[in-house]
Amino acid sequence: MTKTFRMDEAQPRLLDETGQGIVGAPLDRPEGPKKVSGRAAYAADGLPENAAHGVLVRATIPQGRVTRIDESSVSEVAGLLGVFHGPKMTRNPAQGMAGAAPVQPGNEVHYHGQPIALVVAESFEAARDAAQRLVVSYDADADVITDPSRSETHEQDDPETAGDFEAAFAASEVTLDRTYTTAPHAAAAMEPHAAVAEWEGDALTLRGALQMLRFNKKELADSLGIDPEQVRILSPYIGGGFGSKLGIGPEAVAAALAARELGRPVRVVMSRQTVFDTVLRRTETSQRLRLGADKDGRLRALSHDDLVSNIRDEGFAEPVSQASQFLYGAEGLSFTQTLARVCRTPTGSVRAPGEAVGMLALEQAMDELAEELGICPVELRLKNLPDKNPMTDQPFSATRLADCLREGAEQFGWAGRKPMGERREGDWYVGMGVASAARSNMLIKSAARVRLTGDGAVVETDMTDIGTGSYAILGQITAEMLGLPVAKVEVRLGDTSFPGASGSGGSFGASSAGSATFLAAKAIRETLAERMGCSLSELTLQNGIARGGNREMPLSELVDEELVEEASVEAGDTADSHFSAGFGAHFAEVAVHVYTGEVRVRRMLGVMAMGRILNEKTARSQALGGMIWGLGSALTEKLTHDPRTGHLATRDLANYHVPAHADVPGDLKVVFLEERDDMANPIQTKGIGELGISGAGAAILNAVRNACGARVYDMPATPDRVIAAMDAAGF
Amino acid sequence: MREFDYTRAETLSGAAGQLGENASIIAGGTNLLDLMKIQVMTPSRLVDITRIDGLRDVSEDGEGLRIGALVTNSELAADPRVREGWPLLSRAILAGASGQIRNKATTGGNLLQRTRCPYFYDTAMPCNKRNPGEGCSAKEGDGRMLAIFGTSEHCLAAHPSDMAVALAALRAEVEICAPHGDARRVPISELYKLPGDRPDIETVLAPDDIITAVHLPAPQADTRQVYKKVRDRASYAFALVSVGVAVAMDGDRIASVSCAIGGVAPKPWTDPEIEKALAGQTPSDEVFGQAADKALTQARCQPDTEFKKPLLRRTLIAALREATGLAASAPGVETARIPA
């Protein structure tokens, strides 16, 4: 029976008492050797016998209707098995946690690149050839809006406010009013989206590259018009997701449709170009920041208004001002979002939706304000840290932002920062920048099962590991709780036949699935205490030995037949009574070429307090990866759209520039400050990965300003833009 | 990928006999195979020349070097004679692609790689280089990587090679084998044709011509050589603007400069006006800027490429500062010597 737990109040810090030293230790990933030696089977690996191959066909108009799909145009392709289209084809992947089918537009086309058919053949090569030859006729609409700045389609929310922004802004001694833009981003996960669909009678098994199986199962069933109980999804290994694999995708639905029709398994792997065309991207943004302050540096007014875009009928809008709503306090706060409806590849969650781009603007504006006031940017931030969420009045559950800023300044050598433009080495300007980091934290309903067999244990949950370390940390929690060596715990993930967890998203996977695993293991501890005849607090489990009530017994003797416990966790009263978020501070040193405007990041330091660290190694990798994402958003990453059709011009990894090794400084460092978040969940953790990106890019851009005077308002800061900004600043 | 015939040639004449309409040579295949997979190129026959003897060596050729067409980019960049006598070439090669690609890509193939214009790669968009007469989508399209020199109303595509820019600055010649004639040599700057109204024709090569080697003239001893490439990230990206220069000094003055510019034209761009403007001058930012301005009088930009004018000016200044010693010593500046 599943034990359900609601997070209504702070819980004892049991993981500080168990004393094994496994939780928190920088242990290697158990599945690492399999992954680096090619033995981990990803979605497209392990082709079932008799499988056919499918390739998606894209629409090549921005808006209109498909009038004819001419199957005779591919009839001469040897090995062709069929061309599949029709009312069940999905327009784009589901949004994260949708739990229902994505838009199924029938013969309508809503963007250039929309998947409109699946060509299936005996070989991948034949299917790809036929997909490229297939002749499709359209009735194309005139006057299609692909430019988000055109206001005809704008939908504006009412402002979210606290206090009276306008009055506070008017009363401020110093004010700042700036507009920043950020480029659209792609998740650009290494593994392309892939699915292998296989039917046995009415039962569908789908091997997919998916982050949130509990939701994906419902989304796939709803897309196909079948019962979720008929669907099993397997996704044990995922080659990166970053949000792009949150929801069921067109490759999975199309593979399932074709496999049912053909009566044989069908594999669909997206080409890199199709991934760019079809998978949810991050919106471009335009952001207006208005800050008002007194001369002593006390913020009085803060407003952050944004313009984002999405395609019609899509419920997601990038929550750009999310961190601006709680990071600093002011008398008057105001946030307004405008959503443009455009014919472009749909937008959705890409790593740290909201903070990733919102903090690029907010934290540059804070830097500009510090300069205006003649106050050190670290000091300005320290002066304005609220003791509760300024929009909701909830106290923070745990925050060490001030410590992160102070500790970071000390470790980075911030005191050695020179005035703007005063440090030059050869033909390079050198400068330093700082930014705060913040990312809201969540607990999502999750279940897990733990089996104890005496000298070993097994964890089962449909939680996924997208490269983050889920296998490692769930094993560590279980080993710590049950007094076993970590090698004696097997973790089974990514199978919808296991208890349903949060999945990987919003940096909540470790906390949510980790708490469920912890609670299941805790229930086993209760049984063991009973068997030992001692109270739970007297029980010690270490190295396979149970101790308590003056007794000592090997677990293998105490457990005669398998002990099984399943537990589920969900958010409760603490989510209302307190506000939980991760905080940190980013520091960057950059060199900017005096002539060419090239920016090279020389070193970066992130000091972060993110609750209990479950595995110091995988946590560090997450934080480092996040910071590199920040670097990409500040300097290199930009999707571009054709101005006429809205279709993506940057459709591969040669043209979409994620940071390469040469862009990433060797001196890239993360320091964790000790913290426990008692209100967040029963294991006192917080999300990690997305905090790394939040604010990191702004620290780099603030360093560019300090180096060479260039304030780049349109990101990424490519050499041409840095040159123009240097010219504007008279450098 | 469309079905195609594959022939493995043993000799040059055997290879030439297989070439002709809609056949393509394959060597490293690093660009060709990508283009075939997306059906931008659909040759009906591939002629593999990698088994032909005599195309894999770097050998001394009088005072210069003869580089076989099949010498890989990695081998060429690492060749001690090249690093010593023509460091610009080594630097330029290493500034392009990735280690994996350079291990496979060949000297001849590098010269003949196709443009990276996004519309050339997207078969849903009209492109005169793919289908002459269809139209140019890059005009008024999204075009940060497009050319600003030597374009026509039919095509705005830029040549993406770094190696070719260095070869142009070093005044290299291409050795071409025709089926019924002697080998001939063509200066690298004359290998490429400007697009005019036939952007699909990119070189002076006949369908059955085969590039067999590149000849480097004697090293310009004691020249200071720099390859400066500005791009949208630090590695593995094509040039927005690149500059290859070899500068000979006469005391405090510039004796001579040879220079080529990449990322801005359908071929490695050379402009004698730049070299004329610099010869005999005392190095200064002003002198360098004036030389750049001479070249820029010929630039034709669209809004997306307007930035290339100031960027080219600044990149040329930066490269010349390094080559003439105005900039404090920078990694990547090397003095050419006569190879031992």
Side-chain angles (χ1 to χ4, degrees), chain A residues 225-543:
Chain A
I226 61 175
D227 191 290
E229 291 317 304
Q230 292 169 248
V231 176
R232 182 181 181 196
I233 300 181
L234 300 171
S235 196
Y237 301 110
I238 298 143
F242 312 112
S244 75
K245 294 166 182 166
L246 293 177
I248 203 77
E251 79 288 359
V253 175
L257 288 168
R260 186 166 58 185
E261 197 80 13
L262 290 168
R264 59 193 278 196
V266 172
R267 174 168 79 176
V268 179
V269 182
M270 285 192 188
S271 69
R272 184 62 67 186
Q273 289 84 354
T274 305
V275 174
F276 275 97
D277 283 344
T278 300
V279 169
L280 305 178
R281 66 186 172 95
R282 190 200 306 282
T283 178
E284 61 292 327
T285 73
S286 175
Q287 306 178 43
R288 183 182 184 197
L289 259 297
R290 283 175 292 168
L291 301 179
D294 284 345
K295 282 180 178 156
D296 66 358
R298 192 173 53 91
L299 271 179
R300 297 192 62 178
L302 190 161
S303 166
H304 190 170
D305 300 331
D306 65 83
L307 169 65
V308 298
S309 79
N310 209 339
I311 201 166
R312 58 195 274 194
D313 310 322
E314 209 57 41
F316 176 88
E318 178 99 11
V320 174
S321 65
Q322 198 157 256
S324 304
Q325 300 196 20
F326 65 82
L327 187 51
Y328 305 116
E331 291 162 39
L333 298 157
S334 178
F335 306 95
T336 306
Q337 179 160 68
T338 305
L339 174 62
R341 294 292 185 183
V342 290
C343 294
R344 284 185 175 186
T345 296
T347 67
S349 293
V350 176
R351 202 172 199 186
E355 285 88 344
V357 282
M359 292 193 74
L360 282 172
L362 172 69
E363 287 300 287
Q364 285 199 84
M366 285 297 282
D367 202 64
E368 294 201 65
L369 182 64
E371 197 180 313
E372 197 93 1
L373 292 164
I375 295 177
C376 164
V378 174
E379 281 308 309
L380 179 67
R381 288 171 172 85
L382 286 170
K383 273 176 192 276
N384 287 290
L385 302 184
D387 52 11
K388 56 187 182 177
N389 182 318
M391 289 292 284
T392 64
D393 280 344
Q394 295 161 294
F396 292 115
S397 56
T399 172
R400 297 194 63 187
L401 177 50
D403 298 331
C404 291
L405 285 161
R406 289 198 183 98
E407 182 67 28
E410 177 66 32
Q411 290 200 24
F412 196 70
W414 182 254
R417 178 177 182 256
K418 298 265 193 314
M420 189 168 75
E422 287 193 8
R423 190 170 158 204
R424 184 168 165 168
E425 296 174 10
D427 280 353
W428 295 86
Y429 294 114
V430 181
M432 288 186 198
V434 64
S436 299
R439 168 73 184 164
S440 50
N441 181 54
M442 289 164 274
L443 175 63
I444 302 296
K445 188 174 178 187
S446 278
R449 183 162 56 225
V450 175
R451 305 169 180 276
L452 177 64
T453 54
D455 59 355
V458 175
V459 183
E460 292 170 334
T461 160
D462 82 349
M463 178 62 191
T464 49
D465 187 323
I466 58 173
T468 44
S470 306
Y471 283 103
I473 58 156
L474 298 183
Q476 282 173 276
I477 290 169
T478 306
E480 179 77 47
M481 290 289 285
L482 298 181
L484 293 170
V486 75
K488 292 287 183 186
V489 181
E490 183 194 345
V491 180
R492 298 176 186 160
L493 303 179
D495 182 341
T496 51
S497 66
F498 296 145
S502 60
S504 301
S507 296
F508 49 59
S511 295
S512 304
S515 292
T517 304
F518 166 84
L519 292 165
K522 191 166 162 235
I524 290 180
R525 284 177 71 94
E526 283 164 15
T527 306
L528 294 175
E530 260 171 46
R531 290 189 182 177
M532 291 293 286
C534 67
S535 70
L536 196 52
S537 59
E538 285 174 305
L539 180 73
T540 320
L541 299 173
Q542 220 161 12
N543 298 324

Side-chain angles (χ1 to χ4, degrees), chain A residues 58 60 78 112 125 128-130 132-133 273 424-428 593-598 600 635-636 638 640-645 647-663 718-721 723 726-727 731, chain B residues 1-3 36-39 116 118-119 121-125 136-142 144-145 228-238 240 285 304 307-308 310-311 313-319 321-322 326-331:
Chain A
R58 64 174 169 152
T60 56
H112 184 124
E125 288 75 12
R128 184 172 58 182
D129 183 21
Q132 283 160 334
R133 291 179 193 231
Q273 289 84 354
R424 184 168 165 168
E425 296 174 10
D427 280 353
W428 295 86
H593 197 280
V594 172
Y595 292 88
T596 64
E598 295 162 284
R600 296 288 181 262
L635 299 180
T636 63
K638 182 187 187 186
T640 61
H641 294 85
D642 181 271
R644 299 152 301 193
T645 64
H647 96 286
L648 280 170
T650 40
R651 300 171 69 226
D652 57 40
L653 293 171
N655 288 294
Y656 183 75
H657 298 131
V658 299
H661 285 294
D663 294 287
T718 46
D720 49 319
R721 288 169 167 176
I723 287 171
M726 280 199 285
D727 281 345
F731 271 74
Chain B
M1 196 177 270
R2 298 285 177 102
E3 287 195 359
M36 286 173 67
K37 286 175 189 170
I38 56 175
Q39 299 196 3
R116 294 284 164 168
Y119 297 101
Y121 274 72
D122 190 344
T123 48
M125 303 298 283
C136 173
S137 300
K139 269 196 331 200
E140 289 152 22
D142 177 80
R144 183 172 175 74
M145 304 305 290
K228 193 144 193 75
K229 176 177 179 180
V230 181
R231 42 186 153 174
D232 279 336
R233 66 179 158 193
S235 175
Y236 195 52
F238 294 94
L240 298 168
D285 286 9
D304 274 2
F307 78 90
K308 287 198 174 183
L311 184 60
R313 192 174 193 279
R314 285 165 162 270
T315 307
L316 186 70
I317 294 172
R321 281 175 60 83
E322 291 180 11
L326 281 194
S329 71

Side-chain angles (χ1 to χ4, degrees), chain A residues 52-58 69-71 73-75 77-85 89 116-136 254-255 258 262 266-269:
Chain A
H53 300 261
V55 170
L56 290 163
V57 178
R58 64 174 169 152
I69 291 178
D70 180 4
E71 297 185 20
S73 60
V74 293
S75 55
V77 174
L80 184 81
L81 294 169
V83 179
F84 299 88
H85 48 91
M89 288 287 287
I116 50 173
L118 182 78
V119 177
V120 182
E122 293 288 354
S123 74
F124 166 69
E125 288 75 12
R128 184 172 58 182
D129 183 21
Q132 283 160 334
R133 291 179 193 231
L134 189 69
V135 175
V136 179
L262 290 168
V266 172
R267 174 168 79 176
V268 179
V269 182

Side-chain angles (χ1 to χ4, degrees), chain B residues 228-257:
Chain B
K228 193 144 193 75
K229 176 177 179 180
V230 181
R231 42 186 153 174
D232 279 336
R233 66 179 158 193
S235 175
Y236 195 52
F238 294 94
L240 298 168
V241 170
S242 70
V243 170
V245 288
V247 178
M249 297 295 290
D250 178 8
D252 292 341
R253 288 175 180 276
I254 296 169
S256 68
V257 173

Side-chain angles (χ1 to χ4, degrees), chain A residues 133-150:
Chain A
R133 291 179 193 231
L134 189 69
V135 175
V136 179
S137 309
Y138 303 95
D139 174 11
D141 290 351
D143 261 347
V144 177
I145 295 183
T146 63
D147 175 1
S149 69
R150 278 178 61 180

Side-chain angles (χ1 to χ4, degrees), chain B residues 56-72:
Chain B
R56 289 204 167 273
D57 302 324
V58 180
S59 54
E60 273 127 75
D61 170 33
E63 292 180 324
L65 278 189
R66 179 182 186 277
I67 302 158
L70 292 178
V71 173
T72 67

